[in-house]
Amino acid sequence: MLIRIAKPSDVKTSDITPKTIFMNRRAFLATGAAGAGALALGAVPAAAAMLAQTGKLDGAVKWPLSTDEELTPLSKITSYNNFYEFGTDKGDPERNARFFNPRPWSVEIAGAAKTTGSFDIDEFVKPYTLEERVYRMRCVEAWSMVIPWVGIPLADIIKRYEPTGSAKFVAFETLFDTKRFPEQNRATLDWPYVEGLRMDEAMNPLTILAVGLYGDALPNQNGAPIRVVVPWKYGYKSIKSIVKISFQETMPPTTWNIQAPQEYGFYSNVSPAASHPRWSQATERRIGEFFRRDTLPYNGYAEEVASLYTKMDPSKIF
Ligand SMILES: Nc1nc2c(c(=O)[nH]1)N[C@H]1C(S)=C(S)[C@@H](COP(=O)(O)O)O[C@H]1N2
Ligand SMILES: [Mo]
């Protein structure tokens, strides 16, 4: 048996720290856009100027509880996506979201709350402090990534609209617009994509509405301009490109539960003990790594969220 020992010369571009690639890519873009003279005048200022033009989100505060696991490179985070509004292949969103324009965009707050209404996205996010939070993400298809999200704790947003006592669940809806999402002309899913959380899940400090990643505005394929991120649940709970948040007394319908109820429940917590009917959930493939790793209960966030589910059997799909 041949045992390969990695030499420094074996290091591929994809293994170099993702942030380095990210910065180099930006510098490269800056050179391309501003002309050959830009680098001669000093690469750093040129890159910085370009960052401002490409939607750099200023002033995001680093969240102290972020995981320090190695980040998944930006190129992987933006080219291996599930976003059925842009097609069903993992590569479709990057290709088909290129011309999607996430402006104008409004978010509607509806249902059992003191304040409801429709808000322009930029007004909607303005009152809050942005945080950079590095989260492990785990897909039900048994792959995972580590993503530096920029977002707002959902609890801060919920408190602002003052849900009433009858609000037990929060429902989310993706934009339904066949002009902007032509794929919605096809019956791939029962459009619009919908998701929901129990109020205590929505209020949990881990739950955020993301508006960016790697310090920039969200790439279209990752759910621009605003999407849910719930790191202890399978990826499909993290609904993209949302236009509506409603407070309600009853459990909202959720897209994958409607589509295949025997495979996907409402709660969908990451549980290595509960096999998906067609494959195991015990291990996962971290994108960019060779060996599979064991999947952790609640995707490693058990300490923060296990107390929400004391009445549930972790070996069953809910
Ligand atoms: N509107 C919408 N949201 C969606 C999906 C989708 O098809 N449509 N796919 C989900 C699934 S299955 C996953 S794994 C995550 C992927 O998010 P990412 O591409 O940013 O990693 O988005 C989720 N949110
Ligand atoms: Mo997923």
Side-chain angles (χ1 to χ4, degrees):
M1 189 177 135
L2 182 72
I3 297 172
R4 273 196 94 231
I5 297 171
K7 304 185 297 293
S9 58
D10 286 337
V11 175
K12 298 182 304 260
T13 329
S14 58
D15 297 325
I16 298 169
T17 58
K19 195 72 186 172
T20 315
I21 291 179
F22 179 61
M23 296 305 289
N24 287 344
R25 200 179 131 258
R26 290 297 176 197
F28 173 75
L29 289 174
T31 322
L39 273 187
L41 297 172
V44 174
M50 196 60 196
L51 284 171
Q53 286 166 31
T54 54
K56 172 93 182 141
L57 297 168
D58 288 322
V61 175
K62 291 219 182 305
W63 190 58
L65 304 180
S66 287
T67 174
D68 55 10
E69 286 167 63
E70 194 179 344
L71 302 180
T72 301
L74 179 71
S75 60
K76 292 275 192 322
I77 297 175
T78 57
S79 62
Y80 194 81
N81 302 100
N82 277 334
F83 197 167
Y84 277 36
E85 285 82 345
F86 289 119
T88 54
D89 284 350
K90 296 272 182 296
D92 282 343
E94 180 182 45
R95 268 192 300 276
N96 300 334
R98 210 160 354 143
F99 301 109
F100 178 79
N101 183 1
R103 297 290 188 288
W105 195 271
S106 54
V107 177
E108 184 191 348
I109 303 286
K114 201 163 157 192
T115 311
T116 56
S118 191
F119 306 91
D120 172 74
I121 180 68
D122 296 303
E123 295 303 315
F124 182 73
V125 302
K126 212 180 253 169
Y128 308 100
T129 304
L130 295 179
E131 293 180 16
E132 181 173 74
R133 297 179 167 210
V134 183
Y135 279 161
R136 287 177 292 271
M137 304 298 291
R138 170 65 159 75
C139 187
V140 74
E141 294 159 298
W143 47 271
S144 62
M145 298 194 192
V146 177
I147 302 187
W149 298 109
V150 178
I152 302 159
L154 181 59
D156 292 357
I157 291 172
I158 292 177
K159 282 179 210 145
R160 190 176 183 89
Y161 299 97
E162 299 178 89
T164 66
S166 65
K168 302 285 189 284
F169 293 89
V170 186
F172 304 92
E173 235 178 82
T174 294
L175 176 72
F176 183 42
D177 179 344
T178 53
K179 286 200 186 68
R180 291 165 93 175
F181 287 137
E183 190 70 19
Q184 288 176 333
N185 284 310
R186 290 146 51 105
T188 338
L189 293 176
D190 192 4
W191 311 111
Y193 198 102
V194 289
E195 258 304 339
L197 295 170
R198 207 169 63 191
M199 185 56 94
D200 57 351
E201 299 178 317
M203 291 293 291
N204 186 277
L206 286 176
T207 310
I208 57 171
L209 291 191
V211 296
L213 61 81
Y214 267 114
D216 262 358
L218 267 189
N220 292 336
Q221 59 268 43
N222 295 93
I226 188 163
R227 56 89 60 85
V228 173
V229 171
V230 213
W232 71 93
K233 290 178 183 278
Y234 293 114
Y236 63 89
K237 293 293 287 183
S238 292
I239 177 173
K240 293 172 167 176
S241 304
I242 56 172
V243 290
K244 190 172 177 185
I245 301 174
S246 37
F247 300 104
Q248 50 189 72
E249 183 149 24
T250 52
M251 185 182 276
T254 65
T255 286
W256 286 102
N257 182 249
I258 297 168
Q259 209 69 20
Q262 69 291 355
E263 297 186 12
Y264 308 106
F266 176 85
Y267 285 97
S268 309
N269 292 321
V270 175
S271 174
S275 279
H276 181 277
R278 290 181 281 136
W279 59 81
S280 165
Q281 294 292 358
T283 64
E284 67 199 58
R285 185 172 62 90
R286 179 68 54 85
I287 298 295
E289 288 181 1
F290 182 74
F291 293 106
R292 297 184 74 82
R293 46 168 79 211
D294 289 341
T295 286
L296 300 172
Y298 301 102
N299 197 26
Y301 296 99
E303 211 176 298
E304 290 90 341
V305 300
S307 63
L308 302 178
Y309 310 104
T310 50
K311 293 188 195 105
M312 289 185 190
D313 177 351
S315 69
K316 296 217 172 76
I317 296 177
F318 286 98

